[in-house]
Amino acid sequence: MLQPEAIIVVLVALLALEAETTTTIKWHSSGAAFTEPATWLSGYVPRARDLIVFPDNYPAVMPLPAKVYTAGFVLPRLGALLLAEDASIELAAGAGTGAGRAYLKAPKTSKWFDPSSWSVQPGSAYASASASGSIVPEVERVPCDDEHVVISGNGGALSFDLEHVQYLRLGQLILAGSSISRSYLQELLGRDLGQLLFHNAQAVTVEYYRGELCGCHKDYERLVEPVCRNVEPECARPRCVSPLRPFGACCLVCGAMMHMPSEHCTAEDRKRLTTFIRAAIEREHLADELQLHVDYVGSATLGNHLQAIIVDRRGYSERSVDFMRRLAAGRNQSQWLARQSGLKLLYAGRPYNPDVSLASVMLILFCVLLVGVVSVIMLAHFLPEHPYLRRIPQWIHDPRRLRLHLQLRLRRNLLFNRFDNAAGGAGAGVEHLAVIGYDAESGEVRERAFNNPMFEQEPEPEQQLEQEPGQAARPQAVPEATGVPSKVETGVLDSCSVEEQELTEINLESSGSESEAEAETKE
């Protein structure tokens, strides 16, 4: 294990190497450290007299800080600890069974082909691009075949999943401050410690590269599928009509692209194109509006290309497309760019909001129209005398006329009424139905919530006092009864039973038949 001074020397050497070459450094975005509350259940950080309890299975390597004060450890059946060379563990004296317990959470496994598991050093082009809109293709965010990978030993649990990884290609691996060679890393994958660090590493082959590639990977097409499995659910919907998909990208972008075939992927050509485009952006004062990314892309089927991507920083507004069109029109300003053949330009379409479609607009208009029609019908029903509502056809708020116009058989809501036997004629026994609401024919509007025809309301005392003292009350005209006069009985209706009613009906029928027989004998 290297000393802290040696670790600093290694990192300084790597940064100096990155400044001289185009190779970047990928850092593992580890989780919470041992001393942070997010590492422990309920956020309880262990104290000096507490026991540190691991889960039964801890398939990871937990780095411990340089100084650890605890009453003891409850170690798992499967797991490992990573100790620095100068690390020390002090056990509290006299800590018995009554000591507190701090429980570690289950470790989080990071996928090797997950872009969220990696970050780049601050100040680089990849870091600025990733922070302002993720313009860098997703395949280039995972460790490239010639990049230096740094896995720090001061973070959280170390556990990587090499699912869908056939060849573990990288430039150099710095694990907990130690530089790991290719042969040692290949041997480590088969050991118990390597199986805790790297899962699904049974048939993985380790390969180291030293700047022998055109772009980030030897063949980016083989990595598109395993990388996009971890990225596609998080892709934002593009807000343009014809979005673009750069080489090595999983998500669609709105902007402009330039593809240029290249036989020799030299850093000089990449620097020339980057300088020419950035100078044009500075000349038009669009540094705060546009974002640029230029890099090589190598493919066994499509060949090698120099790819330039330009997008808007604050939402798509076609400024990137307009800038690329002006740049293509003035490409003769650069002699090197004017000599390039096979140059291909791609542009995204106009902006649009994917959340608003024609179907949604039509649905909103239909709902507004329906609410308006229902509101007018309700007003016409309850305000029939309104001057503006008189122009509405009467059959809208009259169910009987609605039935005639629409040829519908509507069920009438009949009201119960009193059948008066004393009324003259068979049809005179049913009174006129009470008006509910508004009657379009007579113009009558009801005054009560419900008119009960069975209830005979007597004149109020105030109405009787209004009559003159000498004027006598007019007797109500009683209609002449035709036929057999009805016999009025008073009393409670429930006093007679059903059997008595039936006997009464039988007696009436028998008396009628006897009277007819007597009349015949008298004749």
Side-chain angles (χ1 to χ4, degrees):
M1 194 71 65
L2 296 179
Q3 296 291 337
E5 294 80 2
I7 298 175
I8 296 176
V9 172
V10 171
L11 295 180
V12 171
L14 289 175
L15 293 176
L17 178 63
E18 195 273 336
E20 296 178 359
T21 62
T22 59
T23 303
T24 57
I25 301 175
K26 289 291 194 311
W27 300 76
H28 173 236
S29 302
S30 57
F34 183 83
T35 56
E36 296 183 7
T39 308
W40 306 88
L41 290 177
S42 304
Y44 179 76
V45 181
R47 301 176 183 177
R49 291 181 175 273
D50 293 338
L51 286 173
I52 299 176
V53 181
F54 283 78
D56 293 339
N57 292 326
Y58 197 81
V61 177
M62 169 56 79
L64 295 182
K67 301 292 183 179
V68 179
Y69 301 93
T70 180
F73 293 91
V74 179
L75 298 177
R77 295 192 300 266
L78 179 65
L81 298 176
L82 180 61
L83 300 175
E85 187 175 357
D86 57 345
S88 62
I89 300 177
E90 296 185 7
L91 301 177
T97 57
R101 290 173 175 263
Y103 296 89
L104 278 168
K105 291 183 179 180
K108 181 180 178 181
T109 303
S110 303
K111 292 187 177 182
W112 190 269
F113 281 157
D114 188 1
S116 61
S117 302
W118 305 96
S119 60
V120 295
Q121 69 274 16
S124 64
Y126 289 91
S128 60
S130 301
S132 59
S134 302
I135 189 176
V136 180
E138 286 76 12
V139 175
E140 299 181 14
R141 298 184 201 173
V142 299
C144 297
D145 294 350
D146 59 345
E147 284 185 338
H148 300 285
V149 179
V150 177
I151 301 176
S152 176
N154 299 325
L158 302 179
S159 177
F160 296 92
D161 188 1
L162 300 183
E163 185 182 8
H164 308 295
V165 179
Q166 183 178 2
Y167 298 97
L168 186 59
R169 295 171 176 171
L170 62 160
Q172 188 69 35
L173 177 63
I174 310 299
L175 178 59
S178 300
S179 180
I180 307 298
S181 62
R182 187 195 65 82
S183 58
Y184 180 77
L185 181 58
Q186 184 69 59
E187 184 180 357
L188 181 64
L189 295 180
R191 295 183 179 180
D192 295 339
L193 180 60
Q195 294 178 1
L196 295 175
L197 279 172
F198 303 100
H199 303 280
N200 299 322
Q202 291 77 11
V204 177
T205 303
V206 180
E207 295 182 358
Y208 277 17
Y209 287 86
R210 297 290 188 272
E212 305 171 358
L213 306 174
C214 183
C216 183
H217 298 279
K218 186 176 181 180
D219 188 4
Y220 79 90
E221 290 181 335
R222 65 180 180 84
L223 299 179
V224 170
E225 182 180 357
V227 172
C228 291
R229 289 181 179 178
N230 305 314
V231 177
E232 286 180 349
E234 301 177 358
C235 289
R237 297 182 63 181
R239 296 184 173 270
C240 56
V241 176
S242 302
L244 306 176
R245 187 185 298 274
F247 291 149
C250 300
C251 303
L252 300 176
V253 298
C254 295
M257 293 193 308
M258 177 187 294
H259 292 162
M260 185 186 307
S262 178
E263 296 181 0
H264 306 285
C265 302
T266 60
E268 185 179 358
D269 293 345
R270 178 178 177 272
K271 186 177 181 180
R272 285 176 180 175
L273 182 60
T274 305
T275 304
F276 176 74
I277 298 178
R278 285 182 178 175
I281 293 176
E282 294 292 340
R283 187 167 54 253
E284 298 184 11
H285 305 285
L286 296 176
D288 297 335
E289 303 294 336
L290 302 181
Q291 186 177 356
L292 173 66
H293 175 70
V294 181
D295 202 355
Y296 284 103
V297 177
S299 173
T301 57
L302 302 177
N304 302 329
H305 291 81
L306 182 59
Q307 177 177 249
I309 308 172
I310 301 177
V311 298
D312 300 314
R313 290 184 181 271
R314 301 178 183 90
Y316 180 64
S317 59
E318 287 190 291
R319 291 189 177 183
S320 56
V321 174
D322 297 338
F323 172 78
M324 183 63 78
R325 294 184 188 277
R326 295 192 298 269
L327 185 68
R331 56 178 294 192
N332 295 330
Q333 298 177 3
S334 174
Q335 298 180 0
W336 172 79
L337 189 60
R339 294 194 303 266
Q340 300 299 323
S341 59
L343 186 64
K344 187 177 181 181
L345 300 174
L346 300 175
Y347 306 101
R350 59 179 178 82
Y352 94 106
N353 189 356
D355 300 329
V356 179
S357 60
L358 180 61
S360 61
V361 173
M362 296 300 295
L363 180 60
I364 293 173
L365 295 178
F366 174 75
C367 293
V368 171
L369 181 61
L370 181 61
V371 171
V373 171
V374 173
S375 302
V376 170
I377 294 175
M378 293 176 63
L379 290 175
H381 182 76
F382 291 102
L383 299 175
E385 300 298 333
H386 196 276
Y388 294 101
L389 298 179
R390 287 180 179 178
R391 301 179 181 179
I392 300 175
Q394 296 294 331
W395 56 267
I396 290 181
H397 49 75
D398 188 1
R400 290 175 294 180
R401 296 190 178 185
L402 179 65
R403 179 181 59 183
L404 297 177
H405 282 270
L406 300 182
Q407 299 298 327
L408 298 176
R409 293 186 177 180
L410 301 179
R411 182 179 179 182
R412 298 181 62 187
N413 296 327
L414 300 178
L415 299 178
F416 63 90
N417 200 349
R418 178 177 57 186
F419 185 81
D420 192 0
N421 294 331
V430 180
E431 295 182 357
H432 180 67
L433 295 177
V435 177
I436 294 181
Y438 170 70
D439 189 2
E441 295 180 354
S442 62
E444 181 182 355
V445 181
R446 63 172 178 151
E447 298 179 356
R448 299 190 187 94
F450 180 75
N451 296 327
N452 189 356
M454 297 290 294
F455 175 73
E456 296 180 357
Q457 184 176 4
E458 298 180 358
E460 298 181 359
E462 296 179 357
Q463 298 179 359
Q464 297 178 0
L465 292 175
E466 290 178 0
Q467 298 178 358
E468 296 181 1
Q471 184 179 2
R474 296 181 180 178
Q476 296 182 357
V478 180
E480 296 181 358
T482 59
V484 182
S486 59
K487 184 179 181 181
V488 181
E489 297 180 359
T490 60
V492 183
L493 295 178
D494 295 339
S495 59
C496 63
S497 61
V498 178
E499 297 178 356
E500 294 176 356
Q501 294 178 359
E502 292 178 353
L503 293 174
T504 304
E505 294 175 356
I506 295 172
N507 294 334
L508 290 176
E509 291 178 357
S510 60
S511 61
S513 60
E514 291 177 357
S515 61
E516 292 177 358
E518 291 176 357
E520 290 179 356
T521 53
K522 289 179 181 181
E523 291 178 357

